[in-house]
Amino acid sequence: MSGLDNGIISTALTTINDSFNVSPSWGTWSVTIYTLGVAISVPVIGKLSDRFGRRRLFIMEIALFGIGSLMVALSPNFVFLLIARFVQAIGGGGIFIIGSSHILSTLPKEKQGKALGMLGGMHGLSAVIGPNLGAVILSVTGSWHWMFLINIPIAIFLIIFGFVKIGESKPGSEKPLDFMGTILLSFGILAVMYGITRLDSSAFLESLMELDITLFLIAGIILFVFLIIHERRVEEQGGDPILAFSLLRKRRFQMTLVLGLLSGGFLAGIIFIPSYVQQVMQVPVEQAGYWLTPLALASGIGAGAGGFLTDKYGAARTVIISGFIGVFGFSLFPLLSDGFLSFLIASILAGTGLGILLGAPLNVLVGESAEKGEQGSALGTLSLIRQIGLTLFPVIYAGFITGSFSKIEPAIENDFDHSLNASEGNYGNLIDSINQIDNSQLQLDILNAVIEILKTGFATMFTTAASLSLLVIICGLYVKRMNKLEL
């Protein structure tokens, strides 16, 4: 439910913007505010669940998410909707973290991988099927409000059965909560994430140099430096830091965070596949969902397989396996996917690699690094780093695609002596411009030329995603070597 939310709303962004009469740039804040809220909440909620008990925090998170969903559906204006989306994010951000930390703290080690794989499978599937599910709800109900109202009965069900079925974990430290650390962490996350969301995909390096963006990124980094200094002091004085300095010093945990960042880039590559299907393979929007179904199923199966492999062969080897599958999957997209069969093979491999990585191994690595009572906080930190990757890499990937759009107009003018409307990377305007050409043969030739140009942008994106998969392999080998040295 929480994982589906951003994917679902992306389908209805235009409809929501029109209903409140706001511009597309202002309207995207309904997604941005949710991303910021999740990023802020995951490490804080993870720590609170360690301190006060996971069932209590889980039920509170579900209740907040349900209340936020109702507020969104009943929003009288756009500002109220943004506030409601932030409430949703604070509720949704900790649900997955609490579930994962509950598994790590209650199940024996030999069963953790399978359970985490099942949980990760649901989370991975949600990111892939969210946009398609949103389209279904919108087409059946005709109203974007039902995308949020549907969460209410689910939340009520979860609250009731949370009380009945989930056992409460023992509260952790009774030491005072680290308020200063919480404030530094929250504002540091807010500054960095806000700066990243302001980056321009069409001019990435130029926007990185803009003062209003650079100031937020620098401020966030400075706040994180102060946070680390503060947490070290709190830990030395016997306090209970929001993020244990001793945990941050562990090489295994550091490598797990690097893998978390790479997994965000891994997932971002998957998110752009619907655009590839429509723009390069020329699959109509109404049929694109069917082409993505194998990928969604593969990610779910991969998550389950990742849990099995983690239990049997260990987290490090499972990470390496996911990297190899990801390299082959992403490399096949630009090389072979000219038809459904080759696309099917590439998407199954990419989805399987993603599912394996997002499922059990990273969470198990966190469990191996964190002391008892720190699992929630450590998992929250991992989730935050993944969220940063999931926010940063789409900007980079979109820059590759937008760059290919910028080459269309001059290429068509030189080769066909014809002008097209390819401004601002708007694919709809581009296709409308091509459809207005009277000569059917010229129309077909220009469309094929446009597809070839767009393919170069997507090829660069998939090559970058494959390179990230290669880095996943390297990190996995490093963790495996550390394990051998410890033995």
Side-chain angles (χ1 to χ4, degrees), residues 24-337:
S25 59
W26 181 230
T28 55
W29 269 98
S30 59
V31 175
T32 303
I33 200 74
Y34 189 86
T35 302
L36 293 175
V38 168
I40 292 171
S41 67
V42 286
V44 177
I45 296 299
K47 181 63 178 181
L48 293 178
S49 70
D50 288 336
R51 285 180 60 92
F52 301 115
R54 295 185 180 89
R55 182 180 73 168
R56 187 180 307 169
L57 264 295
F58 178 78
I59 292 171
M60 288 175 62
E61 288 285 278
I62 294 292
L64 270 177
F65 189 85
I67 292 169
S69 298
L70 182 62
M71 289 171 63
V72 172
L74 301 179
S75 296
N77 54 60
F78 192 69
V79 173
F80 189 92
L81 182 138
L82 293 181
I83 296 171
R85 286 286 287 166
F86 190 77
V87 173
Q88 255 196 317
I90 298 300
I95 293 174
F96 184 70
I97 305 305
I98 295 172
S100 300
S101 61
H102 183 75
I103 288 170
L104 289 175
S105 63
T106 57
L107 291 183
K109 188 174 181 179
E110 63 273 11
K111 293 183 178 181
Q112 290 176 2
K114 185 183 293 184
L116 289 168
M118 293 170 65
L119 190 62
M122 294 301 99
H123 202 63
L125 277 171
S126 67
V128 178
I129 68 176
N132 296 303
L133 182 59
V136 170
I137 295 173
L138 192 60
S139 63
V140 170
T141 65
S143 171
W144 62 266
H145 301 81
W146 282 103
M147 294 183 175
F148 302 95
L149 289 173
I150 197 172
N151 292 329
I152 309 304
I154 300 174
I156 293 172
F157 173 86
L158 289 170
I159 291 170
I160 293 172
F161 277 81
F163 275 113
V164 174
K165 291 291 184 180
I166 301 176
E168 182 60 279
S169 59
K170 293 180 179 180
S173 173
E174 296 182 357
K175 300 172 184 176
L177 184 64
D178 180 16
F179 283 107
M180 179 56 70
T182 304
I183 292 170
L184 288 171
L185 177 62
S186 300
F187 279 97
I189 294 169
L190 184 62
V192 168
M193 292 295 290
Y194 180 76
I196 292 174
T197 56
R198 292 286 307 279
L199 291 171
D200 185 355
S201 60
S202 61
F204 180 79
L205 293 178
E206 291 85 347
S207 64
L208 196 59
M209 296 297 110
E210 291 182 8
L211 186 61
D212 58 336
I213 294 175
T214 305
L215 285 177
F216 278 101
L217 294 175
I218 293 175
I221 294 171
I222 291 173
L223 286 170
F224 283 138
V225 171
F226 278 117
L227 171 68
I228 293 172
I229 295 171
H230 170 77
E231 299 298 72
R232 181 176 184 176
R233 186 183 303 117
V234 170
E235 194 166 313
E236 288 175 348
Q237 294 174 352
D240 184 26
I242 190 74
L243 186 59
F245 178 76
S246 57
L247 178 63
L248 293 174
R249 292 182 61 185
K250 294 180 179 178
R251 289 189 179 180
R252 181 186 280 106
F253 187 66
Q254 293 170 0
M255 292 306 302
T256 305
L257 294 183
V258 173
L259 284 166
L261 183 71
L262 295 174
S263 71
F266 210 133
L267 180 55
I270 297 288
I271 291 172
F272 279 86
I273 291 178
S275 299
Y276 178 77
V277 170
Q278 295 171 29
Q279 297 178 20
V280 173
M281 306 192 73
Q282 291 296 294
V283 176
V285 176
E286 59 272 13
Q287 296 179 18
Y290 298 113
W291 283 59
L292 296 174
T293 300
L295 190 149
L297 293 175
S299 66
I301 294 170
F308 171 79
L309 292 170
T310 300
D311 285 340
K312 189 166 185 179
Y313 299 111
R317 288 185 179 179
T318 305
V319 166
I320 296 169
I321 292 171
S322 73
F324 272 112
I325 296 174
V327 168
F328 284 112
F330 283 119
S331 299
L332 285 177
F333 276 111
L335 295 176
L336 297 178
S337 51

